[in-house]
Amino acid sequence: MKKIFLLLSALMLLGTGLMAQTAEELDKSRDRSKYANDSFKDGETYTVTTPYETVTVAPVKGKKVKNIILMIGDGMGVEQVSCGWVLNGGHLNMDNMQACGYSRTWTYDKLVTDSGAGGTSIACGVKTKYARIGQDAEGNPVKSVLRYAQDKGMKTGLAVTCRINDCTPVDFIAHAVNRKDEPALAAEYVNCGVDWISGGGIEFWRNREDGRDLVKEMVDKGYTFIDDPKDIQGLTKGPVVGLFAPLEMEPALDRGPVLEDCATKAIELLDNKKGFFLMIEGSSIDDWCHRHKVGYSMEELFDFDRTIGKVLKWAEQDGETLVIVTADHATGGLTLIKGSIDERTVNVHFSTKGHNGIIVPVFAYGPHAEDFIGVYENAEIGRRIRNIILKKK
Ligand SMILES: [Zn+2]
């Protein structure tokens, strides 16, 4: 495990509440995590002692898209990417992406979005209202790109590090006016037909008030169920549901390469002649920026970027896989004030405990990567993915 040093270098700046958001806008659901109230002594300067190796992949020349891997860094704005790049000594696997665009994240009723609305726009190709899941602004259910992929006979997967019942993954399979009804959202998985499902949040699957055992229901439908990441490697066939924590998974440095392992195994099991759609989320970059823990957030970004490296290596060899890396919004108003690429140090400032409203990056690699160049609304990501799926032979 990588050693990290957290250095308290400056007094916390107080009274910078200009961008502070209302309590309603804070991501309250996270407070049920056992990490919500801990007392990590994180400061404003952070150093990474050992950078990780990044891969180099050649651009793909073909035009045919067989598979689509959509990777969402929750809370991963340009500031988070920039800090990660400095802390890893000027290298990220994301540097390999062939095309770059920017996505505007506002919702109809709020300038600054949440993951429900932000994820819905990416998943379903519509702008919507704050906290909505798979619905447009009028409350109509909207079909996600995952559903379009299923219609084409593609296999599908969702791999996250948060609760699998949380906004970003359920934006692809459910429709709700509010993200908070997690027991109901969890139950949507039973008939979703998704071939790979992995994350945390098993608490909402068992010991439910309605008496249902969703794990048993999934197993009865033919799913292989695992609850220990050690069992990922041994999987030989889908469909799979892997739930590795009661709520969110442990922080990146504690849980190990679960997301990388899930991504690699999911690709192996989903790969078939009709292609697949896989959504992978680095879910917790956001969580730690809410709590102003730059080190923990950067370790989540590194975990996500290492997963990107694995995905890109596979996509390079496959040659018919479009990989998109983006974010639903930025978090924390993170500002990179100074630091050193050589010393892998950043000095940062957070300006809000909530999300912030700047444009976020969209990186793309593989056939049709150029479709994602430009500055556009977040809903365009979903629309462009949908168009690629609909044109698939
Ligand atoms: Zn958040």
Side-chain angles (χ1 to χ4, degrees):
M1 188 180 284
K2 216 169 277 135
K3 275 192 171 177
I4 56 168
F5 294 110
L6 308 175
L7 303 173
L8 190 64
S9 73
L11 292 170
M12 288 297 288
L13 295 172
L14 297 174
T16 52
L18 286 176
M19 289 176 69
Q21 294 176 279
T22 64
E24 183 193 45
E25 286 171 305
L26 298 177
D27 198 340
K28 286 291 182 195
S29 65
R30 301 297 180 188
D31 293 341
R32 280 176 284 154
S33 160
K34 67 174 175 171
Y35 292 98
N37 301 312
D38 66 9
S39 54
F40 291 127
K41 296 287 186 288
D42 209 339
E44 291 179 316
T45 295
Y46 183 71
T47 304
V48 169
T49 53
T50 315
Y52 58 91
E53 290 286 324
T54 52
V55 303
T56 303
V57 293
V60 167
K61 295 201 175 71
K63 283 280 172 205
K64 185 188 166 195
V65 177
K66 181 182 173 193
N67 311 306
I68 298 173
I69 303 177
L70 171 61
M71 305 185 69
I72 301 174
D74 197 316
M76 191 184 74
V78 286
E79 319 90 328
Q80 280 80 5
V81 174
S82 303
C83 285
W85 182 83
V86 172
L87 286 169
N88 202 41
H91 303 279
L92 286 176
N93 290 314
M94 284 180 239
D95 298 347
N96 285 288
M97 306 305 274
Q98 290 165 264
C100 179
Y102 284 110
S103 158
R104 298 192 193 96
T105 64
W106 56 275
T107 72
Y108 275 127
D109 51 346
K110 287 179 197 274
L111 181 64
V112 178
T113 191
D114 77 315
S115 295
T120 292
S121 292
I122 296 170
C124 303
V126 291
K127 279 278 184 193
T128 188
K129 290 185 176 169
Y130 197 84
R132 290 275 164 96
I133 301 291
Q135 287 186 344
D136 65 16
E138 287 76 46
N140 305 304
V142 187
K143 196 165 146 179
S144 75
V145 292
L146 182 146
R147 297 298 190 195
Y148 281 98
Q150 286 176 327
D151 288 350
K152 281 276 176 182
M154 299 164 76
K155 287 191 185 269
T156 57
L158 299 167
V160 304
T161 60
C162 61
R163 307 181 309 282
I164 193 70
N165 331 296
D166 201 0
C167 296
T168 310
V170 297
D171 280 329
F172 288 82
I173 61 131
H175 311 281
V177 71
N178 197 300
R179 57 187 288 179
K180 289 192 178 122
D181 191 3
E182 240 179 288
L185 291 168
E188 292 291 320
Y189 279 100
V190 174
N191 294 309
C192 72
V194 175
D195 304 281
W196 176 280
I197 299 163
S198 66
I202 198 172
E203 198 167 288
F204 294 90
W205 289 53
R206 286 177 161 156
N207 307 316
R208 293 164 55 92
E209 277 186 19
D210 62 9
R212 292 174 67 181
D213 179 342
L214 304 184
V215 171
K216 184 176 179 305
E217 290 182 35
M218 297 291 273
V219 170
D220 288 346
K221 283 181 171 286
Y223 279 81
T224 300
F225 170 72
I226 57 170
D227 60 5
D228 186 339
K230 289 194 193 79
D231 295 331
I232 297 167
Q233 283 308 327
L235 292 165
T236 55
K237 66 176 179 62
V240 170
V241 57
L243 298 175
F244 307 119
L247 297 166
E248 275 81 37
M249 285 191 221
E250 307 276 300
L253 286 172
D254 296 339
R255 71 174 177 263
V258 184
L259 191 65
E260 281 178 73
D261 291 349
C262 282
T264 307
K265 181 57 77 172
I267 289 169
E268 179 193 320
L269 298 184
L270 295 176
D271 189 21
N272 78 102
K273 65 177 191 306
K274 288 194 167 176
F276 65 85
F277 171 85
L278 172 62
M279 192 285 287
I280 300 168
E281 187 191 29
S283 316
S284 308
I285 301 163
D286 170 72
D287 298 322
W288 299 113
C289 283
H290 277 295
R291 294 171 212 157
H292 296 184
K293 307 296 184 192
V294 67
Y296 280 83
S297 179
M298 289 300 106
E299 289 300 332
E300 296 292 343
L301 185 136
F302 291 164
D303 180 67
F304 185 53
D305 188 61
R306 284 190 291 262
T307 307
I308 292 170
K310 289 272 168 67
V311 166
L312 287 178
K313 266 293 174 198
W314 187 87
E316 178 190 36
Q317 218 170 19
D318 179 70
E320 296 182 338
T321 299
L322 169 63
V323 183
I324 301 150
V325 176
T326 190
D328 48 359
H329 53 74
T331 303
L334 178 63
T335 309
L336 175 54
I337 297 168
K338 61 183 177 181
S340 161
I341 298 168
D342 289 341
E343 292 165 20
R344 297 181 294 277
T345 301
V346 295
N347 185 280
V348 303
H349 172 61
F350 288 96
S351 58
T352 173
K353 292 257 182 184
H355 301 158
N356 56 301
I358 63 157
I359 53 177
V360 297
V362 186
F363 301 125
Y365 171 87
H368 280 266
E370 66 279 3
D371 291 13
F372 296 87
I373 294 171
V375 183
Y376 40 81
E377 301 305 326
N378 52 4
E380 271 299 310
I381 301 170
R383 285 187 207 124
R384 291 175 192 196
I385 294 172
R386 183 177 64 208
N387 287 341
I388 292 167
I389 292 171
L390 287 173
K391 284 181 189 150
K392 245 170 79 80
K393 297 267 172 3

